[in-house]
Amino acid sequence: MGLRAIVLEHWPLKLVAVVFAVALWVFVMTEERTDAVFTVPLDLVDRPAGVEVASVGVETVVVRVEGRETQLRRLHE
């Protein structure tokens, strides 16, 4: 079985797969990417038994998150 036969066998399905892959790539690449900055309070939870925290240097931490705008909007809710 030659290369030409492999390429031409089931060519409609292969064409649909390529079109779908290109459409998905275009969708992902054109989606607006942005970042958001959150100030999050620091809370120590699930400490092992017998472990005591003597002091914590900060009350809050600043977190920068990057992603698609639609997903970051859900974090604000």
Side-chain angles (χ1 to χ4, degrees), residues 11-76:
W11 70 268
L13 290 175
K14 293 176 182 177
L15 181 63
V16 169
V18 168
V19 168
F20 181 74
V22 169
L24 184 61
W25 180 80
V26 168
F27 173 75
V28 169
M29 295 307 291
T30 59
E31 181 80 21
E32 288 278 332
R33 292 191 65 80
T34 187
D35 62 347
V37 177
F38 299 99
T39 302
V40 182
L42 185 62
D43 189 18
L44 303 174
V45 296
D46 294 332
R47 292 184 305 253
V51 173
E52 183 177 322
V53 178
S55 69
V56 177
V58 294
E59 296 283 325
T60 60
V61 292
V62 177
V63 179
R64 180 179 167 266
V65 181
E66 182 179 332
R68 293 193 317 232
E69 187 176 359
T70 54
Q71 290 178 330
L72 291 180
R73 250 189 265 131
R74 281 188 251 157
L75 291 176
H76 285 288

